[in-house]
Amino acid sequence: MRLLFTGGAGFIGSNFIRYILQKRPSYEIVNLDALTYAGNLENLQDIESSERYRFTQGRIEDPKTVAEAMKGADAVVHLAAESHVDRSIENATPFLLTNVLGTQILLEAARNGSVRRFLHVSTDEVYGSVGPKGPFTEEDALRPRSPYAASKAAADHLVQAYAVTYEMPVIIARPSNAFGPFQYPEKFIPLLVTNTLEGRPLPIYGDGKNIREWIYVEDVCCALDQLLHEGRPGETYNVGGPGGWSNVEVARLILALLQKPESLVTFVPDRPGHDFWYALDNSKIKRETGWEPTVSLEDGLKRAIVWYEEHRYWWQRIKERLHRESRGYWS
Ligand code: NAD
């Protein structure tokens, strides 16, 4: 089986490529990635010499590059995206180009090839904020509230339209907030962990009560693998983490695990349009594949903390760059 990955040099992509190469010894992977600020070949250093892995640099909005990369692919795992909500609020254009146009170019190339599965990785954010009805099921309407979420929702609609119009064997996965090794340190958990390791304040938007369902990246990889092999074509699956935590609870847990004072928590002005609560109903994926999350937030944080402690060289250079660019809460 030959898989075309997009965005494999990013956080989830690099973890999932490693997972597949270990779990499925006969599989070959081509990784198409533009190496934006979020893509990093160091994330894949340990497997770059594998005969079953090949990297190709290019953008998914470029039809020629995509057609070339698609040659011989049996399945597509589509992860490439502009993925940071704060950046989408500053400038939505790259989000539309990559997440919407890029997805369409990829679908078009897959349609013209011999692809038997197209796994599109979406997000829980397409549903918007949870209301009184509780966790979202796959049947709920999409009500995205940030430019990032809107671009991902548009991509989901395109994927579903291609499934109907061209009978393409697509599967959509909607994971909740993931964390773990190789996550770019502008994202919430790596920002908090690395700031704690540096003795810096932990910036928390608003009153810190916003709730997210954190899922450890290994659980995400396991779910994506199950969906790639057992998901029903044309279907969408929520991939939610084990329970919801408010942002300030997560910050306090990280500080407790690293034995640092709670006084490092610093409340900062809220993000515009900040969704209050994300929560997913996982019953469909559980019922159809048997998957469920296995790593608690606390155990995942312990593992992530060890990784960030042991890979200071990896994140310190990135944080220095973000600091030079005056991005986020770096000074
Ligand atoms: P990431 O930002 O870490 O990685 C994105 C990767 O895509 C990078 O390697 C980047 O170089 C590449 N890329 C960006 N634009 C590209 C383009 N035009 N052409 C080719 N490659 C391009 O993202 P991530 O956190 O690993 O997320 C992966 C996917 O999972 C995304 O689609 C995201 O929307 C989705 N997702 C992420 C989370 C999460 O918590 N991280 C949760 C739910 C869904």
Side-chain angles (χ1 to χ4, degrees):
M1 174 91 120
R2 177 176 290 196
L3 303 182
L4 171 62
F5 267 69
T6 71
F11 160 51
I12 297 177
S14 57
N15 279 284
F16 192 34
I17 287 178
R18 194 170 288 104
Y19 183 97
I20 289 281
L21 288 177
Q22 273 166 12
K23 178 156 182 205
R24 308 218 172 247
S26 64
Y27 282 29
E28 292 176 4
I29 291 176
V30 173
N31 174 19
L32 171 63
D33 195 299
L35 298 183
T36 67
Y37 78 92
N40 185 350
L41 289 181
E42 283 176 24
N43 300 0
L44 294 158
Q45 233 165 21
D46 53 325
I47 53 142
E48 68 189 2
S49 57
S50 166
E51 284 177 1
R52 297 192 287 126
Y53 169 77
R54 184 163 64 80
F55 173 70
T56 177
Q57 185 168 3
R59 301 195 66 87
I60 56 167
E61 317 88 285
D62 176 6
K64 269 194 193 152
T65 305
V66 170
E68 189 58 35
M70 191 72 70
K71 278 183 188 158
D74 301 301
V76 175
V77 179
H78 177 32
L79 290 140
E82 286 293 338
S83 69
H84 193 43
V85 175
D86 288 354
R87 289 183 188 244
S88 79
I89 293 169
E90 277 171 36
N91 179 12
T93 306
F95 289 73
L96 297 186
L97 290 175
T98 292
N99 302 359
V100 185
L101 180 63
T103 299
Q104 188 267 331
I105 302 278
L106 207 59
L107 285 164
E108 202 55 36
R111 178 163 94 82
N112 294 322
S114 53
V115 166
R116 287 183 272 135
R117 274 280 190 286
F118 187 104
L119 177 62
H120 171 68
V121 182
S122 176
T123 167
D124 59 354
E125 301 191 28
V126 295
Y127 297 114
S129 198
V130 173
K133 189 173 133 310
F136 291 113
T137 73
E138 293 81 355
E139 303 307 317
D140 280 304
L142 306 192
R143 293 193 175 86
R145 287 159 41 94
S146 72
Y148 163 70
S151 69
K152 294 294 290 187
D156 284 19
H157 287 311
L158 272 170
V159 171
Q160 281 161 340
Y162 268 67
V164 173
T165 309
Y166 305 111
E167 298 181 352
M168 278 184 65
V170 305
I171 293 162
I172 298 179
R174 294 193 179 132
S176 57
N177 285 45
F179 70 103
F182 298 108
Q183 189 170 27
Y184 200 77
E186 69 185 349
K187 298 286 172 68
F188 186 69
I189 285 185
L191 171 63
L192 298 197
V193 169
T194 58
N195 275 20
T196 307
L197 292 173
E198 293 177 308
R200 288 174 189 251
L202 273 54
I204 305 292
Y205 280 136
D207 60 8
K209 290 186 180 156
N210 301 56
I211 299 168
R212 301 290 180 262
E213 277 187 342
W214 292 101
I215 182 168
Y216 194 64
V217 67
E218 209 174 277
D219 275 333
V220 177
C221 293
C222 180
L224 295 181
D225 180 53
Q226 301 263 49
L227 293 178
L228 185 63
H229 295 91
E230 291 167 42
R232 279 183 298 130
E235 295 292 320
T236 297
Y237 296 86
N238 290 339
V239 182
W245 292 68
S246 74
N247 288 348
V248 73
E249 286 171 334
V250 175
R252 289 190 180 129
L253 181 54
I254 290 170
L255 290 168
L257 290 172
L258 283 164
Q259 296 175 323
K260 291 284 163 62
E262 285 194 7
S263 57
L264 282 175
V265 168
T266 306
F267 293 101
V268 299
D270 210 353
R271 163 196 282 168
H274 200 174
D275 286 335
F276 178 64
W277 181 19
Y278 296 139
L280 294 176
D281 179 333
N282 270 341
S283 40
K284 183 172 178 182
I285 186 171
K286 272 190 194 167
R287 196 174 56 245
E288 294 193 18
T289 74
W291 176 89
E292 57 186 317
T294 59
V295 184
S296 68
L297 176 69
E298 186 166 342
D299 287 345
L301 281 178
K302 285 181 187 161
R303 290 202 221 173
I305 285 171
V306 169
W307 190 86
Y308 282 93
E309 274 179 322
E310 288 175 351
H311 292 79
R312 284 176 189 260
Y313 69 93
W314 183 89
W315 55 265
Q316 275 171 340
R317 274 176 304 143
I318 297 174
K319 286 187 88 166
E320 277 161 22
R321 193 169 82 213
L322 291 166
H323 182 55
R324 277 197 306 278
E325 292 169 0
S326 305
R327 280 203 162 271
Y329 295 95
W330 307 108
S331 48

